[in-house]
Amino acid sequence: MPGVPHVACPDTAFHRQLPEPARTYAFPRELTRRHGLRRYGFHGLSYAHALRRTTELLGASPTDLQLLLTHLGGGCSACAVRNGRSVDTTMGMTPSEGLPMSSRSGTVDPGMLLWLQDETGTDPRRTARLLDRESGLLGVSGTSGDTRDLVRARADGDPDAALALAVLTLGVRRGLAASLDRVDALVFTGEIGQDQPEVREEVAAGLRVLGIEGGLTAVDDPREPMVVSRPGATVPVLVVPTGEIHEVARQTRACLETDR
C-alpha cells in the first residue's frame, strides 16, 4: 500500500527516557554496549493512555504528578511516572522480566536457571517455554493462570490457588516500591486491574507504608475511569480501562497532522 501513510507506535517508546540507572543491567559495559542490552520496558501504550486519563480525572497536569501505574493482565508490569515521564518499570529487555504473570514467571534467580539447566540438561528452548508458558499463576496453582478461576478456587479452599494469588499481589507490591519522591495516585489498568477487585484490594491494603489503603469500592462503569479509594484518602486509587488501541489512534493522528 505505497500510497497510504504507515505509522509505527512502539510499545517501548513510553520508557525511552528511563534514567540511566533504571535502564542499566549490572553486566560488563563492553557487553551491554556491543549488544544493546538495557531495560526497554513494555506496556507503554497502556501507560500513556492511563496517564492521560488519570490527569483528566484528577484535574492536574502530568508535570505536577508522581504516579504508580500498574498494568495487570496476561502480562503484568508496574511503572513509576514522575512529571509525565517513566522513571522506572518492571519489565526489561523482554516482557519476561518483573512481576509474576498469567503463565510467565517474571523475575527469577538466574543462578537457579543455570542450576536447572545443568541438573536436568534442559536446553534453552525448553527453558524459554518453562519461563513463558508454564510458570506464573499457572505454574504455582497447577490449574489456571486466570485470576477469576483462582479467586473461586481459593474460596473453595484450594491452597495452591491462594498461594498463586498471594505471589502475584506480593510481586505487584514489590514492583511498586518505586523511584518517586511521593505518591500522588495508584492506578490500575489491564484486564485484571479493571475486572478483579480482589487483586486490587490485596495490593492496595498491603501498601500502607506508601500511604495507600484498602477498602476500595466497586467499579460502577468498566468503560470509564474512576476513583475507587475512600473519600479523603491520602493517596487516591484509580481504575482506568485499558486503552492501547485508543492510544495508537491518538499517536497516529498526531503523527499524520505533524507531517501535513
Side-chain angles (χ1 to χ4, degrees):
M1 302 175 68
V4 177
H6 289 62
V7 177
C9 300
D11 204 31
T12 58
F14 186 74
H15 309 290
R16 68 190 181 279
Q17 294 178 317
L18 277 176
E20 189 171 18
R23 67 176 186 260
T24 300
Y25 287 109
F27 268 20
R29 291 294 288 172
E30 188 276 333
L31 191 65
T32 60
R33 288 169 177 165
R34 185 196 316 164
H35 298 289
L37 306 180
R38 57 158 287 174
R39 177 171 284 106
Y40 288 97
F42 294 85
H43 289 142
L45 295 167
S46 176
Y47 287 137
H49 177 79
L51 172 61
R52 184 164 52 83
R53 296 308 305 272
T54 296
T55 57
E56 292 171 355
L57 188 59
L58 296 180
S61 167
T63 57
D64 296 330
L65 293 175
Q66 298 195 36
L67 304 171
L68 294 176
L69 308 178
T70 66
H71 179 106
L72 306 181
C76 298
S77 70
C79 177
V81 173
R82 182 193 296 129
N83 304 332
R85 293 185 177 182
S86 171
V87 294
D88 202 2
T89 190
T90 56
M91 283 183 168
M93 183 173 174
T94 76
S96 296
E97 187 180 1
L99 313 183
M101 308 178 212
S102 178
S103 64
R104 297 181 205 152
S105 66
T107 296
V108 295
D109 181 351
M112 181 179 68
L113 295 180
L114 296 173
W115 180 87
L116 277 173
Q117 289 183 333
D118 184 59
E119 184 74 11
T120 65
T122 304
D123 63 34
R125 288 186 179 182
R126 178 71 185 89
T127 300
R129 181 171 182 83
L130 170 69
L131 293 173
D132 290 338
R133 301 294 181 89
E134 300 172 1
S135 298
L137 298 176
L138 174 63
V140 176
S141 71
T143 55
S144 177
D146 190 320
T147 54
R148 294 168 295 187
D149 296 335
L150 297 178
V151 166
R152 287 191 292 267
R154 180 177 64 179
D156 291 337
D158 184 336
D160 293 330
L163 178 60
L165 289 167
V167 168
L168 171 63
T169 54
L170 175 60
V172 176
R173 294 196 300 272
R174 282 174 174 164
L176 291 174
S179 306
L180 299 178
D181 303 318
R182 63 179 192 275
V183 180
D184 294 322
L186 168 63
V187 182
F188 289 95
T189 189
E191 186 177 5
I192 295 172
Q194 294 170 228
D195 300 333
Q196 201 70 67
E198 296 87 352
V199 171
R200 292 197 301 267
E201 179 64 28
E202 288 168 37
V203 170
L207 290 173
R208 290 185 180 179
V209 68
L210 300 180
I212 299 168
E213 298 180 350
L216 306 181
T217 61
V219 173
D220 295 331
D221 185 346
R223 298 168 298 180
E224 293 295 329
M226 67 172 292
V227 176
V228 294
S229 49
R230 297 172 180 174
T234 303
V235 178
V237 179
L238 285 69
V239 174
V240 176
T242 309
E244 290 157 312
I245 294 175
H246 299 295
E247 183 62 22
V248 168
R250 189 190 68 81
Q251 292 185 17
T252 298
R253 285 195 299 269
C255 183
L256 294 178
E257 289 170 358
T258 300
D259 288 343
R260 286 178 182 174

